Amino acid sequence: STALLISFAFIMMQLWRIPSMTLKTVKKKVLLFGGYRGTNYHGLQMDATKVKNPNTPPTIENELRLALFKAGCIIPSNSEDLSKINWSRSSRTDKGVHAARIGFSAKIEIPQQLVDEFKDNAGEGPQSFPTLVSSINQYLPDDIQLFSCVRMTQGFSARSGGSWRAYEYILPLRLLQSSADNQALSDESLLEKFNSYLLQLEGCHDFHNFHRMKGKEIKYRSRRKTLPMGSRNTQEKVDFS
């Protein structure tokens, strides 16, 4: 009987070491903000049907999926398909593209203790979980990091919840030099010429060829916000078309 008691005590001690067995969790809808260098990845989005294939190219979302699972934020039965936790991203990037700030919404498992601690110290602002962010980041590679985790309403979606997106493109000035030019233009002249072309894209235009939405589904808004070339200050313009 003594041997059985010792064996039972040993087993209980091992179970105590497993976070999922020791921490009571509650499922909450959250918004995860993060950033990454996409050099080593084949884009952001993962293919859930190829998770078990060892030859599948690495993606940002697959690294996030693994880190969330290891941190106890996803139960095993939901760990291979992010759609099971209502996963949504604010935008997508292609192979080799970086993101300075991007949002992901999902219903994840959060330790009840963290939720209770916030209620005890409730103040102004949304409910955030910095301790959880640190726990997830320890399982992420150095080129992917989460910045914050904020609790959201059950119906929130990162894709539809974003009101604007900013993109920055970098290209060599030599690509702007046309072979039709009689002489090489200065850097300032090249930028001025290129910006004059980009100005034609501002305003209200029909860009239906650039997306899957049908023309009859497009809803034009009377007030639009545009970001003039060379400026980071948002300027509001009124469109009467």
Side-chain angles (χ1 to χ4, degrees):
S1 59
T2 303
L4 290 175
L5 288 174
I6 294 176
S7 299
F8 177 76
F10 177 78
I11 293 174
M12 293 303 296
M13 289 177 64
Q14 296 305 311
L15 292 177
W16 184 260
R17 296 174 183 269
I18 303 176
S20 61
M21 298 293 292
T22 60
L23 294 178
K24 179 182 178 181
T25 62
V26 289
K27 183 173 287 188
K28 300 293 183 182
K29 173 64 76 67
V30 299
L31 174 62
L32 299 164
F33 270 118
Y36 53 83
R37 296 193 304 269
T39 305
N40 300 321
Y41 302 94
H42 286 238
L44 168 73
Q45 194 169 8
M46 61 170 280
D47 186 347
T49 63
K50 299 180 180 180
V51 169
K52 295 182 179 180
N53 186 348
N55 298 320
T56 301
T59 62
I60 302 296
E61 282 188 343
N62 192 49
E63 294 294 337
L64 289 169
R65 178 188 68 85
L66 292 172
L68 288 169
F69 174 67
K70 293 176 181 178
C73 298
I74 306 178
I75 60 177
S77 59
N78 295 338
S79 62
E80 295 183 0
D81 187 356
L82 291 176
S83 65
K84 292 184 178 181
I85 60 172
N86 290 355
W87 183 267
S88 175
R89 79 281 295 177
S90 60
S91 57
R92 291 184 293 182
T93 55
D94 294 328
K95 178 182 178 181
V97 179
H98 317 310
R101 192 170 181 83
I102 187 171
F104 306 96
S105 60
K107 296 181 69 174
I108 65 174
E109 304 289 335
I110 299 178
Q112 182 68 56
Q113 181 181 355
L114 295 181
V115 178
D116 294 339
E117 287 178 357
F118 183 87
K119 291 180 179 179
D120 295 338
N121 302 296
E124 296 183 358
Q127 185 174 5
S128 60
F129 306 99
T131 304
L132 187 62
V133 172
S134 299
S135 177
I136 300 171
N137 277 336
Q138 69 176 329
Y139 298 109
L140 286 171
D142 294 337
D143 49 8
I144 305 175
Q145 288 290 285
L146 293 180
F147 306 142
S148 62
C149 175
V150 182
R151 184 176 175 182
M152 307 300 290
T153 59
Q154 291 297 319
F156 178 82
S157 170
R159 180 181 179 183
S160 58
S163 58
W164 60 274
R165 290 152 178 87
Y167 299 88
E168 190 170 287
Y169 300 89
I170 301 175
L171 71 161
L173 283 174
R174 68 175 184 275
L175 296 180
L176 303 181
Q177 186 73 50
S178 173
S179 58
D181 296 332
N182 295 327
Q183 58 182 4
L185 300 177
S186 64
D187 292 350
E188 291 75 13
S189 298
L190 285 173
L191 288 175
E192 182 179 356
K193 184 177 181 180
F194 186 61
N195 285 336
S196 67
Y197 297 149
L198 294 179
L199 287 174
Q200 300 180 38
L201 301 176
E202 289 190 2
C204 184
H205 304 286
D206 185 358
F207 293 112
H208 71 276
N209 288 331
F210 295 92
H211 56 71
R212 300 176 182 177
M213 185 180 295
K214 298 179 181 179
K216 62 181 180 180
E217 297 175 343
I218 300 176
K219 295 181 181 180
Y220 293 98
R221 298 180 181 179
S222 59
R223 300 184 68 84
R224 295 175 178 270
K225 289 186 177 181
T226 61
L227 190 64
M229 294 303 302
S231 172
R232 292 182 178 272
N233 298 320
T234 303
Q235 175 180 334
E236 187 174 36
K237 295 183 179 181
V238 181
D239 184 81
F240 296 98
S241 59

